[in-house]
């Protein structure tokens, strides 16, 4: 007797939007530049999708993007480029021909503001190389692929940096990239404690918090300041 099997597509619609746009850009002979962590599962998936349709390249941050720009502007050799981006290129990627027309998409859990900064910077590089008149022939505007759920979370967190607080608590999965980014933002100003759930708060004086730099859960004491009135920031990641 046959088994009645149902299948469901549980892919995040924002991720799927990136994949669909990448496919369309590939059909139009664009190279796909992915802002992401090349070992992250989502970036690997996006890369595997874009690689089917077009040359693809992963950049981690502005530092790697500046290196890319230096090659586009003739300030780096092909050997330097291939060595620098080793393991982050699609098969048969040829920077001599594959960087004249491209679009930038992202791992949706990266900082959307950083992705936009990278895209804007590369647009200026393309203008410097080819001029403003032909920009649309070389650069695709993909800002509408940025995940608004992640972006809204990050924007709200940036607003929190304008406030005064005694400390911050961020709730989310320890392997969650978007949650880690919120921690990165908040710890610039506040003592910030990254926890996966309420059980990590052991008492008024003890908390088990994840350190995003050492990748370890640390038991911290006296995390609540000894004062009469407290201002506490509490937020969470999207996953």
């Amino acid at each position: 007797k046959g088994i009645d099997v149902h299948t469901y597509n549980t892919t995040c619609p924002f991720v799927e939007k990136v994949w669909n746009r990448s496919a369309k850009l590939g059909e139009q002979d664009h190279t796909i530049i992915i802002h992401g962590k090349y070992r992250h599962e989502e970036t690997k998936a996006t890369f595997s999708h874009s690689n089917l349709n077009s040359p693809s390249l992963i950049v981690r941050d502005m530092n790697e993007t500046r290196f890319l720009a230096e090659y586009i502007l003739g300030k780096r050799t092909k050997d330097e480029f291939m060595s620098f981006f080793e393991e982050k290129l699609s098969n048969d990627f040829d920077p001599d021909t594959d960087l004249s027309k491209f679009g930038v998409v992202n791992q949706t859990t990266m900082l959307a503001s950083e992705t936009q900064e990278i895209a804007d910077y590369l647009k200026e590089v393309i203008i410097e190389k080819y001029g403003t008149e032909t920009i649309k022939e070389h650069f695709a505007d993909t800002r509408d692929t940025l995940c608004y759920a992640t972006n809204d979370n990050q924007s709200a967190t940036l607003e929190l940096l304008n406030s005064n607080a005694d400390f911050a608590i961020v709730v989310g999965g320890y392997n969650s990239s978007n949650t880690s980014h919120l921690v990165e933002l908040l710890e610039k100003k506040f003592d910030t404690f990254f926890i996966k759930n309420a059980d990590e708060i052991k008492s008024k004086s003890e908390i088990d918090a994840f350190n995003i730099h050492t990748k370890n859960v640390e038991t911290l004491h006296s995390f609540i300041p000894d004062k009469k009135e407290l201002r506490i920031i509490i937020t969470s990641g999207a996953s």
Side-chain angles (χ1 to χ4, degrees):
K1 185 178 179 179
I3 300 174
D4 186 16
V5 176
H6 297 274
T7 61
Y8 300 90
N9 182 0
T10 59
T11 305
C12 170
F14 299 109
V15 174
E16 200 158 32
K17 187 175 185 180
V18 169
W19 293 351
N20 291 339
R21 177 61 65 82
S22 297
K24 190 167 185 63
L25 289 173
E27 292 170 2
Q28 298 167 345
D29 297 323
H30 286 79
T31 289
I32 308 301
I33 295 177
I34 304 165
H35 172 217
K37 303 171 183 176
Y38 83 104
R39 295 188 185 279
H40 190 279
E41 292 84 351
E42 184 189 326
T43 293
K44 287 181 179 179
T46 298
F47 183 82
S48 68
H49 277 76
S50 65
N51 191 24
L52 295 174
N53 303 286
S54 58
S56 301
L57 163 69
I58 300 169
V59 294
R60 173 64 180 85
D61 51 27
M62 275 299 295
N63 286 333
E64 293 193 2
T65 305
R66 289 189 185 96
F67 192 102
L68 170 61
E70 289 171 1
Y71 180 81
I72 292 172
L73 296 174
K75 299 175 182 178
R76 294 280 184 174
T77 67
K78 186 174 182 177
D79 286 344
E80 286 176 320
F81 176 91
M82 298 303 287
S83 176
F84 188 84
F85 286 107
E86 185 181 12
E87 297 185 335
K88 299 179 181 181
L89 300 167
S90 56
N91 293 333
D92 302 321
F93 191 100
D94 185 350
D96 289 340
T97 57
D98 293 337
L99 291 173
S100 62
K101 185 178 183 180
F102 58 79
V104 179
V105 299
N106 79 344
Q107 173 188 316
T108 59
T109 54
M110 300 298 280
L111 281 170
S113 57
E114 185 178 14
T115 303
Q116 195 57 57
E117 182 183 5
I118 286 170
D120 291 343
Y121 173 71
L122 288 175
K123 183 177 180 179
E124 291 303 314
V125 170
I126 288 297
I127 289 173
E128 181 178 345
K129 186 174 180 68
Y130 298 104
T132 56
E133 297 80 7
T134 60
I135 183 65
K136 291 185 179 179
E137 297 175 18
H138 300 281
F139 183 84
D141 186 354
T142 55
R143 71 181 63 212
D144 64 334
T145 63
L146 297 176
C147 169
Y148 78 77
T150 301
N151 195 26
D152 286 354
N153 234 6
Q154 293 166 357
S155 296
T157 302
L158 287 170
E159 280 298 313
L160 288 171
L161 292 175
N162 295 322
S163 64
N164 292 315
D166 295 290
F167 63 93
I169 290 178
V170 181
V171 185
Y174 294 156
N175 63 345
S176 167
S177 180
N178 76 83
T179 309
S180 295
H181 285 310
L182 300 186
V183 176
E184 287 175 3
L185 291 172
L186 288 168
E187 70 178 8
K188 293 177 181 178
K189 183 173 180 180
F190 309 109
D191 288 335
T192 302
F193 305 100
F194 182 4
I195 63 175
K196 63 183 178 182
N197 54 43
D199 293 338
E200 301 295 81
I201 302 176
K202 305 302 181 182
S203 68
K204 291 182 178 180
S205 62
E206 185 177 306
I207 188 171
D208 287 345
F210 185 73
N211 185 318
I212 62 173
H213 307 289
T214 65
K215 307 300 181 186
N216 293 315
V217 175
E218 301 173 350
T219 299
L220 304 171
H221 300 278
S222 303
F223 74 100
I224 299 178
D226 184 15
K227 55 189 299 189
K228 187 174 182 180
E229 295 184 359
L230 291 169
R231 290 178 62 85
I232 305 170
I233 290 171
I234 300 179
T235 188
S236 67
S239 60

